[in-house]
Every structure is written in structure tokens, then in C-alpha cells.
């Protein structure tokens, strides 16, 4: 199953920018379950200097230096990615069969083993996901009783977020506190993801932020319009002795054939598509356009 992805990120500045440093993350990563077949990136204005590197989380990063004066900055990523849903389905079944109880997970994670050391990075609070309150912890514990299978508990936890929270665009942004999202019980995919991660970490479980895309399918008889897709976010939980399992509370599914991973990290800040420093004054406006299509559909450039 092959997808072509168009991702445009554009900033319009109130005043002229004379100089800027940026980190772009528009190149999808290779994993056991997906393979990057091709990637290119267009930048306007012209890049003065560019260098690529892979960060600690395995994400592709491009450092971009622009010296040309500009009032807008546009980056367009063109990707082709092959997804292996059968391999992912096998992994999900394997994780489920090897899953331990919540109490067993706590005991294993309290020590240090070669298999589990790297996941410790995803247990403490992070820049965009601070320590959760007692009431968020209690919300999580409604699903995670000591003797309960961790896979089953996590699946129910995802179901509850889907049922309890309402998808409302415009209510929040990436900086909206987790407590506000919990109070209002509304937000968008990144809010539900960061809330879930905060709740899981509050009860001693490693969870990471997954950023990417999801294929949207138009209603029967309708033609899919270009650019109607969006970036998407979900979370992954680590089950000791079994591995990571992805969970999408926005759609109440375990990601398989329609999710394309761009990258992952502790929170949104680790995998934001574009961030940087500009020499300018005044405000800026951000716009994003995304299109995700299977290979048998037309890919616009």
C-alpha cells in the first residue's frame, strides 16, 4: 500500500524578515511498518545553507538558513511512503499476546533492563506535557487496575477518551494546558494525544507522541478535493516484554493501514513540522495544507 503526501507549511510575516534559522521535519521516517520511497522539499525563498541530521528519536531534521529578506516562508514536502499493514497487524497481535498486567508493568519499569532503559525517556513530564493533576491520574486509573491486562486497559482508556471528549477545532492550540482540555472535554487530535500521554505518565507508564497523517476517504459518490487532509497525532504506549502499541483516541482505532508516521517524540515540540528563529518584528500567520492519497490517485505537485 503506497501513499503520496503533499505537506505545505507557510508563514506570512507582518514585517520583513531579514534572516532566519529553521528546523523542518517533513520527511517521514523509516520503520518496521513503513518505508520511505522518495522525498523532496521545495523552499521559498531560496535556502542559503541546509544540513540534514537524525535526532535522538530517529526523526529526520533539516536545518535551513535563509539570508534573503522575505515576508513569507513556504516549505513543501513531497513524500511517497509504502505501508505494510500485514506486518503491523502481526506486531499488534504479538504485543497483545505478550502483554502483562499493570502491576507487572510497574514492577518491571521500576528496575533497569537493557530492553526497557530507552523507554525511560518517555516517562517524565516534558516541555509541552507537564505533570498531570491528581484528577487526571484518577481518570486514567479507572481503566488501569493492578491485575488488569495492560493492552486491554489501554484499549479501554482510548475508548473512554473517544466517548468523553468532543472534537472541536478552534477551541485550542498546541499551548493549551492539559487541564483546560480535561475541563472542557474538547479539542483536536493533538490535544487528545497530549492529554492521554500526560495521564499515562502520571500512573508510571511510558507514552510517546506520534505525528503524521491519516488517509481520509470522501463519501460515496463524492470526489476527494485536494488539500482537505490534515496532519494527525496519536499516542503509543510501551508494554514491557511486548513492545510499543499505537492508539488513536480521535478515531478510536489502533493505527494500521491508514496512518502514515512522520515522526515521534516526547510531545509535539519534538516533532513540530517547522520551528525556528527569525529576525523581524510583529506577528506571523501560519497556514498548513496537506493532501494524502493512495498511489492509484493523482498526486499534485
Amino acid at each position: 500500500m503506497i501513499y503520496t503526501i503533499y505537506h505545505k507549511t507557510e508563514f506570512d510575516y507582518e514585517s520583513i524578515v531579514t534572516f532566519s534559522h529553521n528546523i523542518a521535519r517533513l520527511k517521514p521516517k523509516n520503520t518496521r511498518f513503513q518505508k520511505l520511497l522518495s522525498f523532496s522539499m521545495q523552499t521559498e525563498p531560496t535556502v542559503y545553507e541546509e544540513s540534514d541530521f537524525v535526532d535522538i528519536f530517529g526523526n529526520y531534521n533539516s536545518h535551513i538558513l535563509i539570508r534573503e529578506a522575505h515576508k513569507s516562508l513556504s516549505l513543501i514536502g513531497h513524500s511517497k511512503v509504502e505501508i505494510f499493514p500485514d506486518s503491523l497487524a502481526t506486531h499488534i497481535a504479538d504485543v497483545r499476546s505478550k502483554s502483562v498486567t499493570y502491576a507487572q508493568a510497574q514492577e518491571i519499569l521500576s528496575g533497569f533492563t537493557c530492553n526497557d532503559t530507552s523507554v525511560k525517556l518517555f516517562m517524565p513530564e516534558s516541555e509541552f506535557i507537564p505533570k498531570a493533576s491528581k484528577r487526571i491520574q484518577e481518570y486514567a486509573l479507572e481503566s488501569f487496575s493492578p491485575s488488569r491486562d495492560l493492552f486491554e486497559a489501554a484499549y479501554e482508556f482510548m475508548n473512554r477518551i473517544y466517548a468523553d471528549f468532543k472534537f472541536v477545532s478552534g477551541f485550542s492550540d498546541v499551548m493549551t494546558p492539559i487541564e483546560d482540555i480535561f475541563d472542557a472535554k474538547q479539542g483536536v487530535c493533538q490535544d487528545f494525544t497530549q492529554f492521554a500521554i500526560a495521564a499515562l505518565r502520571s500512573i508510571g507508564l511510558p507514552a510517546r507522541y506520534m505525528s503524521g497523517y491519516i488517509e481520509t476517504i470522501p463519501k460515496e459518490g463524492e470526489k476527494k478535493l485536494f488539500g482537505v487532509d490534515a496532519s494527525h497525532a496519536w499516542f503509543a504506549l510501551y508494554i514491557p516484554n511486548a513492545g510499543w502499541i499505537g492508539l488513536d483516541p480521535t478515531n478510536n482505532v489502533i493505527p494500521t493501514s491508514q496512518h502514515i508516521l512522520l515522526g515521534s517524540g516526547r510531545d509535539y515540540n519534538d516533532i513540530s513540522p517547522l520551528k525556528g528563529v527569525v529576525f523581524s518584528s510583529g506577528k506571523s500567520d501560519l497556514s498548513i495544507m496537506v493532501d494524502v492519497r493512495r498511489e492509484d490517485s493523482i498526486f499534485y505537485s
Side-chain angles (χ1 to χ4, degrees):
M1 186 176 294
I2 297 175
Y3 287 100
T4 51
I5 303 156
Y6 171 101
H7 184 148
K8 179 180 182 180
T9 298
E10 184 171 23
F11 278 98
D12 289 311
Y13 304 104
E14 185 176 359
S15 303
I16 292 176
V17 174
T18 57
F19 188 87
S20 70
H21 282 279
N22 301 277
I23 296 293
R25 303 186 185 99
L26 296 176
K27 183 178 180 179
K29 68 193 301 183
N30 284 299
T31 72
R32 291 167 52 196
F33 314 114
Q34 69 177 40
K35 180 181 180 182
L36 180 64
L37 301 178
S38 65
F39 175 77
S40 64
M41 185 169 66
Q42 299 171 246
T43 307
E44 180 64 37
T46 304
V47 174
Y48 177 79
E49 183 178 285
E50 180 178 349
S51 60
D52 299 329
F53 64 95
V54 176
D55 63 26
I56 191 174
F57 306 108
N59 305 316
Y60 293 114
N61 292 252
S62 293
H63 173 251
I64 297 170
L65 171 62
I66 297 175
R67 288 188 169 182
E68 179 183 334
H70 55 283
K71 285 202 71 176
S72 67
L73 171 63
S74 172
L75 285 87
I76 301 175
H78 300 266
S79 308
K80 183 176 286 189
V81 179
E82 184 173 7
I83 303 295
F84 306 112
D86 290 345
S87 178
L88 183 54
T90 299
H91 169 74
I92 294 168
D94 187 53
V95 170
R96 187 166 193 168
S97 67
K98 294 178 180 177
S99 182
V100 297
T101 67
Y102 173 47
Q104 289 172 326
Q106 287 185 306
E107 182 179 357
I108 294 170
L109 291 168
S110 65
F112 289 89
T113 66
C114 292
N115 292 335
D116 301 320
T117 300
S118 62
V119 308
K120 302 285 187 179
L121 188 63
F122 302 98
M123 294 180 72
E125 60 188 88
S126 54
E127 184 173 355
F128 279 28
I129 305 180
K131 184 177 180 180
S133 65
K134 181 71 173 178
R135 61 201 185 102
I136 289 179
Q137 184 184 59
E138 290 171 350
Y139 179 88
L141 287 173
E142 289 180 31
S143 294
F144 293 87
S145 59
S147 61
R148 191 170 191 191
D149 177 84
L150 201 57
F151 185 100
E152 292 179 0
Y155 191 80
E156 183 193 272
F157 177 63
M158 175 188 70
N159 294 162
R160 288 174 53 222
I161 295 175
Y162 178 77
D164 294 345
F165 290 68
K166 185 178 180 181
F167 189 95
V168 178
S169 59
F171 165 75
S172 60
D173 59 36
V174 71
M175 299 300 293
T176 302
I178 299 299
E179 302 295 334
D180 290 356
I181 300 300
F182 187 50
D183 286 337
K185 298 291 191 300
Q186 63 183 26
V188 294
C189 61
Q190 67 189 23
D191 300 315
F192 304 155
T193 296
Q194 296 200 137
F195 167 78
I197 292 171
L200 292 169
R201 289 176 182 170
S202 76
I203 61 171
L205 296 173
R208 64 185 180 188
Y209 188 99
M210 311 291 278
S211 177
Y213 313 97
I214 186 170
E215 178 192 27
T216 58
I217 301 173
K219 295 179 181 179
E220 187 175 352
E222 294 183 3
K223 183 178 180 181
K224 181 175 180 177
L225 300 177
F226 179 76
V228 299
D229 297 302
S231 297
H232 192 53
W234 60 100
F235 70 92
L237 170 69
Y238 180 75
I239 299 179
N241 298 335
W244 290 96
I245 184 72
L247 297 150
D248 180 355
T250 305
N251 296 290
N252 202 30
V253 297
I254 294 176
T256 52
S257 62
Q258 291 180 278
H259 290 66
I260 303 101
L261 180 65
L262 176 61
S264 59
R266 293 163 299 180
D267 55 33
Y268 174 82
N269 191 48
D270 287 334
I271 191 55
S272 57
L274 182 66
K275 65 179 180 179
V277 177
V278 301
F279 288 81
S280 184
S281 61
K283 300 178 180 179
S284 63
D285 293 318
L286 169 66
S287 61
I288 298 173
M289 178 182 288
V290 175
D291 194 77
V292 178
R293 295 178 186 248
R294 298 197 189 193
E295 191 178 51
D296 57 358
S297 299
I298 297 174
F299 180 53
Y300 295 85
S301 60

